[in-house]
Structure formats: C-alpha cells, structure tokens
C-alpha cells in the first residue's frame, strides 16, 4: 500500500511539472500581460474599495464626457466674453445715438439730469465690475506646505485643501471658496472675485430693467410703425392697382425703429434671466453658502436627518453679518463708498481660514 501511494504521488507530480512547462512555453508577451493586469486592477478598484458608491462609479464612467465639456467650455470662454462685450456695446451705442437725443428734446431738465446721471453711473458700475470679475484671480490654495488648517486632499491636484475649497475641472486647479466657473467671465468665481461677479449681475440687471422701462413707449411706437409698414407692403403686393400712399418713413427712421425694438427685446430678456440668477445668488449669500456648498449642505441635511439630528451650516453668521462679510463693509460709510461706488477693496479674510459658528457677535461690527 505504501509503494502504491508513493508511486501515484510521483506520477501526479510528473504530470504537473509537464503541464507547467507547457504553460510556460505558451505564455503571452510581457506587454500584453501588463495591460491585462492593469485592466483587472481597474475593474477591481470599482468594487473592492469600501468607499466606492454610485457617485464614484458614475464619475468614472462619464469622465470622458466631463473632460470634453470642460475642454469646450475652456475654449469657448473667449467667445462668450466677446459676446458680452459686443451685446453690451450695442445697447450703449443705441442709447447714445437714438435715446439720448430723444431725451434731450422731449424731457424736462430734472428728468434729463436723472437719466444722464443714473445711466452713466449704472454703465460705470457694470463695466468696472465685469472687468474686475474677469481679470481678478479667484484665489488658489498654496502648493507648498503651510501651517493653515486643511479638511482634505484634492484627488487631482494632490495638495491639501482648506475649508470651502473645491477643484475646477475647467481651470484644472483648486479654487478658494469656489462658487462656480462662469463661461461669460472665462474665469472661476471664488473668494477674491465673488463680490465683483455678484455686483456685475446686480447692476447689469438694474441697467436692463432701466432700459426696458424707459424704452417701453418708444418700443410700442416703433413696433406699431413697423407693423403699419408691413401691412402696407402686404396690401400693395396683394392688389394690382392701389392708391394708398406709403408711410412717410425714411431709411433712418426704419433703422431707429429696429434699433429700439432690438434694445427692448434684448434688455427685457436679459433682465428677466439675469435677475433670476441674481436673486438666487442673493439668497445663497444671505445663507452664507456658495452654489457648491448649497448642494453639499442639502445632502448633509438629509444624511443628518436620518440620524435624527439637525445640520447647521458652519459658515452662516446671520443674514446681515453674511452680507457685511461678503461686501467687505467695515464702517457705515462703506455702504456708499464700497457698495454704491466702484471699489477694488479685498474681501474679508484670506480664504484659507474661516471662523465657524456659533458667533456671539458680529465678525465685522458696524
């Protein structure tokens, strides 16, 4: 029995050695085996990691789509900036060439002074804040080691991230207190240019509403004149013999009417759309959060509610104090010199460290 068992074991060992030798001869090239091992590692990383969830899988699958959108947005940034400049300039030209002569000829001196002063003030505020929002750096965390507090490490930059810092795929770097990437500015909206962005939206909305209200009667007159002209041409081409004289409109009158209609339609449309965006950002500022933090805080509120707890935004210092911090108001006079007049003062804080609630007194007492 001992001899039989040892003989069988020896036979099995020989068969195994021969199979292994044959398998070694038919082995695939090294570069194919390395690619196959890398693909297996990628596949395992989707379900082996304990931190993997549906968001991670979704981001991994749609990463090429995100990269394409980021590339297109980055490339079209200059196009959007040129579009803003061209459209705004066209409204300014119409206001100077068409509306201002009408105002000077028909309005009383007090109304002329009001329109001239308000119109130029609004135009200066729009141009100043747009230029500053587009050319001011939103703020970036230091790439070297520092003693400031951090909350995590960026997966793409591989650098420590301070609180309220997020990575922008279009700018391809982390942004301090990032709100969003604005293609109309070709720049990120972050800690150092958030006030410029909001002020531009606010004064652009006020300017569009001002043009829409002031030009309403002119728009109705121009629309009725063009409608009468179109009716005349339809009537003429519909009959062989006619005796109706043509409306006494010259080429200049027609261009003026079309310009007024173009200005009113554009300003009314932009005023409604941009006004809704401005109101939304005003609500976020009152709550002490950005657009990204709004999404994060909403998810955190639902997560804490499952545990029977209430989530509080750690960067909400109260409505009035949130506005004072955002606008950089440190004295009563700053409501005029820093809010109602062009001001290039820096925001409160460095964007790296933030005080958290509860705040017993105002961070900026006014």
């Amino acid at each position: 029995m001992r001899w039989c068992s040892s003989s069988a074991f020896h036979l099995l060992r020989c068969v195994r050695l021969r199979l292994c030798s044959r398998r070694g001869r038919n082995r695939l090239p090294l570069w194919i085996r390395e690619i196959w091992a890398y693909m297996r590692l990628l596949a395992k990383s989707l379900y082996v990691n304990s931190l993997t969830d549906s968001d991670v899988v979704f981001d991994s699958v749609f990463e090429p789509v995100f990269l394409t959108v980021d590339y297109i947005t980055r490339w079209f940034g200059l196009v959007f900036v040129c579009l803003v400049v061209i459209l705004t300039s066209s409204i300014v030209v119409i206001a100077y060439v068409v509306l201002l002569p009408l105002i000077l000829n028909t309005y009383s001196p007090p109304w002329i002074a009001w329109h001239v002063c308000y119109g130029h003030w609004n135009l200066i505020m729009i141009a100043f804040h747009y230029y500053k929002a587009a050319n001011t750096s939103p703020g970036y965390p230091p790439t070297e080691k520092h003693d400031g507090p951090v909350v995590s490490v960026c997966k793409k930059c591989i650098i420590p991230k301070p609180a309220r810092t997020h990575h922008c795929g279009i700018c391809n770097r982390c942004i301090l207190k990032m709100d969003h990437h604005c293609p109309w500015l070709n720049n990120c909206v972050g800690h150092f240019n958030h006030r410029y962005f909001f002020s531009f939206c606010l004064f652009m909305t006020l300017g569009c509403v001002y043009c829409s209200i002031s030009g309403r009667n002119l728009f109705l007159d121009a629309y009725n004149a063009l409608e009468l002209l179109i009716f005349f041409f339809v009537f003429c081409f519909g009959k062989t013999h006619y005796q109706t004289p043509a409306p006494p409109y010259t080429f200049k009158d027609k261009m003026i009417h079309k310009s007024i209609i173009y200005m009113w339609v554009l300003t009314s449309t932009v005023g409604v759309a941009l006004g809704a965006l401005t109101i939304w950002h005003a609500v976020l500022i009152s709550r002490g959060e950005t657009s990204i933090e709004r999404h994060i805080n909403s998810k955190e509120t639902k997560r804490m509610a499952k545990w029977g707890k209430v989530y509080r935004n750690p960067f909400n210092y109260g409505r009035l104090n949130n506005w004072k911090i955002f606008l950089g108001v440190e004295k009563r006079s700053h409501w005029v010199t820093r809010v109602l007049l062009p001001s290039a003062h820096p925001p409160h804080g460095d964007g790296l460290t933030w005080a958290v609630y509860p705040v017993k007194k105002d961070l900026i007492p006014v």
Side-chain angles (χ1 to χ4, degrees):
M1 292 293 294
R2 181 179 296 178
W3 181 84
C4 292
S5 60
S6 61
S7 300
F9 178 77
H10 181 70
L11 180 62
L12 290 174
R13 188 175 180 182
C14 292
V15 172
R16 183 180 178 184
L17 289 174
R18 172 165 271 187
L19 289 176
C20 291
S21 62
R22 287 183 179 178
R23 192 178 300 171
R25 294 173 188 170
N26 298 329
R27 185 173 292 179
L28 295 173
L30 179 61
W31 64 275
I32 295 180
R33 284 185 281 123
E34 287 179 349
I35 294 176
W36 174 248
Y38 182 68
M39 297 296 293
R40 290 181 60 188
L41 180 63
L42 289 180
K44 287 183 178 180
S45 66
L46 295 177
Y47 60 86
V48 172
N49 190 352
S50 61
L51 300 177
T52 299
D53 54 9
S54 58
D55 294 336
V56 175
V57 176
F58 181 82
D59 291 342
S60 301
V61 173
F62 285 90
E63 186 67 20
V65 179
F66 298 150
L67 289 176
T68 304
V69 172
D70 292 345
Y71 178 79
I72 293 175
T73 305
R74 189 184 304 119
W75 189 85
F76 271 93
L78 293 176
V79 177
F80 287 137
V81 170
C82 293
L83 190 61
V84 171
V85 174
I86 291 173
L87 293 178
T88 306
S89 301
S90 66
I91 299 300
V92 173
V93 170
I94 293 173
Y96 274 103
V97 175
V98 178
L99 298 184
L100 188 59
L102 293 176
I103 291 174
L104 295 177
N105 293 329
T106 57
Y107 284 29
S108 61
W111 275 110
I112 292 176
W114 153 254
H115 283 290
V116 170
C117 294
Y118 178 82
H120 285 87
W121 169 78
N122 204 341
L123 178 61
I124 292 172
M125 296 297 284
I126 290 173
F128 172 80
H129 286 104
Y130 184 76
Y131 174 80
K132 296 294 290 184
N135 288 275
T136 301
S137 171
Y140 310 112
T143 56
E144 300 177 355
K145 184 178 180 181
H146 60 93
D147 298 331
V150 297
V151 296
S152 63
V153 176
C154 180
K155 296 182 294 183
K156 298 183 179 180
C157 296
I158 317 298
I159 61 172
K161 288 201 309 183
R164 314 186 79 176
T165 299
H166 301 280
H167 185 88
C168 176
I170 299 173
C171 296
N172 199 24
R173 62 188 309 177
C174 289
I175 308 296
L176 296 177
K177 205 193 84 169
M178 179 180 175
D179 187 271
H180 69 288
H181 184 93
C182 181
W184 300 101
L185 299 176
N186 194 26
N187 195 9
C188 259
V189 177
H191 177 65
F192 290 99
N193 65 344
H194 194 180
R195 178 178 67 88
Y196 297 130
F197 165 77
F198 177 79
S199 297
F200 164 72
C201 292
L202 176 63
F203 290 111
M204 178 63 83
T205 301
L206 293 177
C208 290
V209 172
Y210 165 72
C211 292
S212 180
I213 294 176
S214 301
R216 178 178 176 275
N217 293 331
L218 295 174
F219 165 75
L220 294 176
D221 295 340
Y223 181 79
N224 292 330
L226 287 182
E227 191 177 38
L228 179 61
L229 192 62
I230 293 173
F231 174 76
F232 167 75
F233 279 113
V234 171
F235 180 78
C236 290
F237 285 106
K239 292 188 176 182
T240 313
H241 302 285
Y242 59 89
Q243 308 239 341
T244 306
Y249 295 136
T250 63
F251 177 77
K252 181 180 178 181
D253 295 333
K254 297 176 185 177
M255 293 303 298
I256 290 176
H257 293 157
K258 293 179 180 179
S259 299
I260 292 174
I261 293 175
Y262 162 78
M263 182 201 70
W264 192 87
V265 172
L266 180 61
T267 55
S268 300
T269 305
V270 174
V272 172
L274 195 59
L277 178 65
T278 305
I279 293 174
W280 169 244
H281 277 279
V283 172
L284 294 179
I285 295 169
S286 301
R287 295 174 179 175
E289 57 188 7
T290 61
S291 300
I292 296 177
E293 290 172 352
R294 174 60 180 170
H295 176 68
I296 296 174
N297 293 342
S298 178
K299 292 177 63 176
E300 197 67 17
T301 300
K302 295 178 182 178
R303 188 182 70 85
M304 296 289 284
K306 294 180 180 179
W307 295 88
K309 299 180 180 180
V310 178
Y311 175 76
R312 289 184 61 185
N313 178 17
F315 308 112
N316 185 5
Y317 311 119
R319 232 174 245 180
L320 180 59
N321 207 35
N322 288 335
W323 279 103
K324 288 191 292 185
I325 294 172
F326 177 77
L327 298 174
V329 175
E330 300 175 358
K331 298 188 297 184
R332 292 183 186 274
S333 60
H334 286 169
W335 290 106
V336 176
T337 58
R338 292 188 172 184
V339 178
L340 298 181
L341 294 177
S343 176
H345 65 278
H348 180 75
D350 57 1
L352 299 175
T353 58
W354 299 90
V356 296
Y357 79 91
V359 179
K360 300 300 182 182
K361 60 180 181 179
D362 291 346
L363 294 179
I364 304 179
V366 175

